[in-house]
Amino acid sequence: VLNTDRSRTRPPRTKMASLGQYLDAAAHAVSVKDSTTLALLFDVDSVHALGAVRSALGDRGMNVGELCEEKVGAHAPWDEIFASHCQCLGANAEGRYDDAFVAMQATIAAFVKDFRAQDTAWSLDALMNLVRGAVALATRADDEAERAGRQRKDSRLGDAGAALMLVYRNTANTSVWEKKSQCLFLVISLFKIYFKLNTLHLCKNLINAVNLPTFPTFDTFPVAQRVTYAFYVGRLAVFDDDFGVAEQHLEYAFRRCRGDTRRNKTLILRYLLPVKLLMGKMPTTVLLQKYGLGEYVDVVSAMKSGNVRMLNDALKTHQISFIRQGTFLVLEKLRNIVLRTLFRKVHAFSAEKNPAKGNKVNLHMFLAALKWCGCDMDIDEVEMIVANLIFKKFVKGYISHKSRVVVLAKAGAFPAISYDDDRPKIAYLQN
């Protein structure tokens, strides 16, 4: 998955040897609205925060709720927020990830309740750290349950998605413009969850929200976030067979992705290449070699030569890899283009052999070419193949069933392949 998390500013390391010192730091950060320190305090994997809570785990007589009220009570409801977060940190320190996630849910709910009432966004970085922590703990809790063989109706990652949606609603639906600055980060985080859980239908509402006029202008977000958003929308369009939209978004992601992030560019190309191939646009051998996409070499060769057998062999050889990427069904659609290429070559050969009937192709000649490519079929099946090519507008003409001849249009018999449906270019991707 593309890494788009913005860099976190780390404050100078302050020793917090005890839970009391940790809560003193919390009270001070809240009182002076120190967003950087507050964000560090809400990092579930902070060495200092975990160390401070771990020091209190052995003290049976300590009441964490009372200590939070004593130290942070003057800044209510932060005492309630930190009481839940201390439970989260304690469970995380002991490796009880399910309990840690449940406590994180309570922390986020209390935090959002206060955040909603604020007229500034000073604590936004801390809230984003809670979002990251919720996803991390949910993943660990699900992994822990899987290792233990426990069956659970709903995954914790799904619960994390619900928590993130709560945060998203309270950052997007507000009149405080600064709170909206992390909206795209939250959308991307939700995309990652939905793709992992295979609940892709939930992405549509988020895409519609991004396109609303009340959503911040796309260009105001960091390039890394824009690239990742375009990548996920492009992937979703591939799965929906909306190849015109897929091409625009994946091209944008590839063009804007930093040149030194080769892994990310390769990941984008694994979805962009099948779309380009479907449109009859061939990558260069240099590009395939540069990004380690050797599995496409034979696919491209088959498309250029019209060799159906070569395409079938390439798809069979790399089937598992293509299925894991989610592109196998898309690549199977290339058979029609390879068949069209082969049919075009048969037409050229037929026209050269008999110029007087240059716009006619005997189906038996096409059958012979297919058999040479290892396709065992009869003349009726060949006629169905050509009828399908005509139906999909890959070929212009008609079939004379009686004489088993294809009569091609005298002009534009092999039109350009397009999936754009004459739709205008997507505006926010043009800058």
Side-chain angles (χ1 to χ4, degrees):
V1 176
L2 295 179
N3 181 16
T4 62
D5 203 356
R6 67 177 185 167
S7 59
R8 307 181 199 177
T9 304
R10 296 287 189 180
R13 294 191 172 186
T14 305
K15 265 195 150 186
M16 293 178 286
S18 68
L19 183 58
Q21 289 177 320
Y22 170 81
L23 293 173
D24 285 338
H28 182 263
V30 171
S31 64
V32 300
K33 295 188 176 180
D34 181 350
S35 61
T36 304
T37 299
L38 189 70
L40 177 62
L41 294 171
F42 280 112
D43 184 345
V44 294
D45 291 321
S46 165
V47 174
H48 304 295
L50 288 172
V53 173
R54 192 178 284 115
S55 68
L57 291 176
D59 188 350
R60 300 279 182 185
M62 179 176 292
N63 187 312
V64 174
E66 289 181 358
L67 186 60
C68 288
E69 185 177 357
E70 175 190 335
K71 296 286 187 178
V72 199
H75 308 286
W78 288 96
D79 54 337
E80 176 189 347
I81 296 171
F82 274 99
S84 296
H85 190 59
C86 286
Q87 291 180 357
C88 173
L89 290 171
N92 187 33
E94 293 182 332
R96 294 181 289 108
Y97 301 122
D98 196 73
D99 293 338
F101 175 75
V102 171
M104 174 60 77
Q105 286 179 299
T107 305
I108 289 177
F111 195 112
V112 168
K113 185 177 180 181
D114 179 72
F115 183 78
R116 186 189 303 125
Q118 292 178 21
D119 56 3
T120 68
W122 78 271
S123 61
L124 184 60
D125 286 346
L127 183 55
M128 293 306 103
N129 260 3
L130 289 179
V131 164
R132 297 182 186 97
V135 175
L137 291 173
T139 302
R140 293 170 197 170
D142 286 341
D143 291 344
E144 181 184 52
E146 185 177 351
R147 285 192 301 269
R150 296 196 301 268
Q151 296 293 326
R152 180 184 286 144
K153 184 179 179 181
D154 298 315
S155 70
R156 286 303 187 193
L157 193 58
D159 294 336
L164 264 64
M165 184 56 74
L166 173 68
V167 175
Y168 171 75
R169 291 195 187 101
N170 285 277
T171 54
N173 303 326
T174 176
S175 58
V176 182
W177 198 253
E178 292 82 2
K179 291 183 179 182
K180 296 175 181 277
S181 64
Q182 289 300 313
C183 280
L184 197 62
F185 167 74
L186 291 167
V187 167
I188 292 167
S189 299
L190 285 164
F191 276 171
K192 292 177 181 180
I193 290 174
Y194 296 155
F195 269 79
K196 190 168 183 179
L197 296 178
N198 197 27
T199 53
L200 302 185
H201 64 283
L202 297 176
C203 297
K204 298 294 178 69
N205 288 337
L206 292 172
I207 294 172
N208 292 336
V210 172
N211 293 329
L212 289 174
T214 54
F215 199 86
T217 306
F218 195 65
D219 285 345
T220 61
F221 293 103
V223 175
Q225 290 183 13
R226 283 183 274 150
V227 165
T228 307
Y229 175 80
F231 169 71
Y232 276 106
V233 175
R235 277 183 69 185
L236 192 65
V238 170
F239 296 149
D240 289 341
D241 288 351
D242 197 348
F243 301 118
V245 170
E247 183 185 33
Q248 289 191 59
H249 282 86
L250 292 170
E251 265 196 348
Y252 177 93
F254 185 76
R255 190 172 65 250
R256 294 302 182 95
C257 190
R258 279 172 38 194
D260 59 344
T261 54
R262 179 172 169 176
R263 176 184 173 275
N264 287 350
K265 279 185 168 286
T266 300
L267 188 58
I268 296 167
L269 281 173
R270 291 194 188 282
Y271 297 93
L272 180 58
L273 277 181
V275 172
K276 290 288 190 183
L277 291 172
L278 275 173
M279 295 182 171
K281 302 170 185 177
M282 308 295 169
T284 64
T285 303
V286 173
L287 180 77
L288 297 179
Q289 290 175 344
K290 179 178 179 180
Y291 292 102
L293 297 167
E295 64 268 28
Y296 283 96
V297 171
D298 285 345
V299 174
V300 173
S301 296
M303 291 191 65
K304 289 179 178 178
S305 63
N307 192 328
V308 182
R309 175 168 48 193
M310 182 183 289
L311 177 67
N312 290 338
D313 289 345
L315 293 181
K316 185 177 180 180
T317 300
H318 303 288
Q319 181 176 357
I320 294 176
S321 175
F322 291 143
I323 288 175
R324 285 175 178 169
Q325 294 166 23
T327 56
F328 182 75
L329 294 178
V330 178
L331 291 169
E332 278 199 316
K333 296 178 187 291
L334 297 178
R335 283 197 179 91
N336 282 327
I337 300 176
V338 174
L339 287 166
R340 178 181 114 135
T341 302
L342 180 61
F343 184 71
R344 194 171 191 171
K345 289 191 172 187
V346 170
H347 164 250
F349 176 77
S350 176
E352 183 180 351
K353 188 177 179 181
N354 190 355
K357 296 182 178 180
N359 68 323
K360 296 181 180 179
V361 180
N362 192 303
L363 286 176
H364 288 281
M365 189 177 290
F366 190 36
L367 173 61
L370 286 166
K371 285 188 174 180
W372 180 83
C373 288
C375 299
D376 185 17
M377 58 182 64
D378 58 32
I379 193 67
D380 289 328
E381 291 173 301
V382 173
E383 186 172 328
M384 287 178 62
I385 287 174
V386 177
N388 189 49
L389 293 176
I390 294 172
F391 174 75
K392 291 183 177 292
K393 299 181 181 180
F394 290 148
V395 175
K396 282 186 179 180
Y398 65 90
I399 300 171
S400 173
H401 175 72
K402 184 177 179 180
S403 57
R404 302 287 191 177
V405 168
V406 182
V407 182
L408 296 172
K410 291 185 178 180
F414 298 93
I417 302 168
S418 175
Y419 292 88
D420 285 331
D421 299 327
D422 298 324
R423 282 175 295 188
K425 298 294 183 183
I426 298 170
Y428 66 78
L429 298 178
Q430 304 312 308
N431 298 323

